[in-house]
Amino acid sequence: VVFVSLKPWEERKSSDVSVQSEIGKTMMSGRHLQEGTLLALNPPALPGLGAVGGFSLMLEDRAGGTLNNLDAVSQQFIAAAQKRPEIGRISSNFKASTPGYEYDIDRDKAKVLGVSISDIFSTLQVFLGGNEVNDFTLFGRNYKVAVQADGMFRGDVNALQYLHVKNANGDMVPLNTLITPKKVYAPTVISRFNGVKAARINGSQAPGYSSGQAMKALEEVAAQTLPQGYTYEWSGQSREEQKSSSKAPILFGLAFLFAFLCLAALYESWSVPFAVLLAIPAGIFGAFF
């Protein structure tokens, strides 16, 4: 993750150096990369509500399907959303095609050599994943002590020959004699939202459209494309916007009532405030006309 600070507004007067223009140029410059996916995102207008601006939603798998199915459904949803004119940019950080390794343990051989399966798992956990073993306090601050193999021994699958596990006789057995690595494709991060597997989808509305119109378009796309067992929920700033949109009539009604009561107290009359309040829309219409 790289955070880029732009120059002040007075130094960015042309549209080619606007935020959206810089995001577009960054996305275009990263399309040729084969080693990864480059995403440029605008920070949210309200700090603390999500990590990006625009809209954000969580595509949920409530059917308990595979991660590949969730990836396929999310890509289908994104492809359908890109055809809508209200959507300017849309993407997902969920990818089920990240290359990795799966370790296949030869349980029969481990039993013959007297090696416990739990010892194999714990050895892999400590050296490759890391394990917190202790805490200590120094200069008034608490620090965590974690055991883990050095980076060069965690980035190479052949480094298993340097990891050993003790068998029942006290002999050290190299792990590469018990484990066979297999190349697989899987997601790097599995997200959950409300207790179910979910894929985060972010984006922004197209120029000339509001965020509400973009959210409405995505709701229509979801109703048309999502199969049974899949649903969505808004998250971050979009969730707050969706929740507050239904409260606008209540807020305007309370404001009207408060203004009416203030005018009634000012003129000491229940009828005069109606004349004052009803004159405001006519005055606004006249100014626009």
Side-chain angles (χ1 to χ4, degrees), residues 102-108 110 117 120-121 124 178-180:
E102 178 181 312
Y103 290 151
D104 186 12
I105 300 177
D106 190 341
R107 295 174 180 265
D108 296 332
I117 300 298
I120 297 177
F121 286 144
L124 292 174
L178 303 173
I179 297 177
T180 304

Side-chain angles (χ1 to χ4, degrees), residues 4-241:
V4 180
S5 298
L6 301 183
K7 292 182 179 180
W9 283 352
E10 57 269 17
E11 300 181 28
R12 295 187 288 113
K13 297 182 179 179
S14 62
S15 58
D16 353 341
V17 289
S18 65
V19 173
Q20 295 301 328
S21 175
E22 294 295 337
I23 289 176
K25 288 187 287 188
T26 305
M27 297 281 284
M28 289 294 295
S29 64
R31 285 188 174 180
H32 69 281
L33 296 176
Q34 298 181 354
E35 297 83 1
T37 303
L38 177 64
L39 296 177
L41 306 170
N42 199 19
L46 301 177
L49 292 179
V52 298
F55 55 80
S56 59
L57 63 90
M58 302 297 292
L59 188 61
E60 300 177 355
D61 174 18
R62 296 189 177 180
T66 64
L67 295 173
N68 290 330
N69 290 342
L70 179 60
D71 186 28
V73 171
S74 65
Q75 295 303 320
Q76 179 184 359
F77 177 82
I78 291 174
Q82 286 176 335
K83 299 177 182 179
R84 296 294 298 256
E86 300 92 339
I87 307 302
R89 174 188 55 82
I90 184 170
S91 60
S92 174
N93 62 352
F94 181 81
K95 301 289 183 184
S97 57
T98 303
Y101 283 96
E102 178 181 312
Y103 290 151
D104 186 12
I105 300 177
D106 190 341
R107 295 174 180 265
D108 296 332
K109 188 174 183 180
K111 186 176 182 179
V112 171
L113 295 177
V115 177
S116 170
I117 300 298
S118 61
D119 290 344
I120 297 177
F121 286 144
S122 60
T123 303
L124 292 174
Q125 166 66 34
V126 170
F127 286 100
L128 302 185
N131 187 35
E132 183 182 338
V133 295
N134 201 358
D135 295 331
F136 72 95
T137 303
L138 183 64
F139 303 118
R141 295 187 60 183
N142 295 327
Y143 295 88
K144 297 184 181 298
V145 179
V147 179
Q148 190 181 53
D150 198 8
M152 60 183 295
F153 297 102
R154 289 183 285 113
D156 185 8
V157 69
N158 296 320
L160 286 178
Q161 60 182 319
Y162 303 113
L163 304 180
H164 295 75
V165 62
K166 186 180 294 186
N167 64 4
N169 299 325
D171 300 324
M172 304 301 292
V173 180
L175 275 183
N176 64 336
T177 61
L178 303 173
I179 297 177
T180 304
K182 294 181 179 179
K183 287 187 177 181
V184 295
Y185 292 93
T188 54
V189 177
I190 302 175
S191 302
R192 289 186 176 273
F193 194 80
N194 288 339
V196 296
K197 293 192 295 291
R200 179 180 296 277
I201 296 178
N202 300 311
S204 60
Q205 63 270 19
Y209 292 92
S210 66
S211 59
Q213 290 174 312
M215 292 171 64
K216 179 67 176 176
L218 290 177
E219 290 175 356
E220 296 175 358
V221 171
Q224 297 170 359
T225 60
L226 291 184
Q228 187 177 4
Y230 288 85
T231 184
Y232 71 94
E233 288 191 60
W234 298 106
S235 64
Q237 196 168 290
S238 299
R239 186 182 184 91
E240 298 302 320
E241 180 178 350

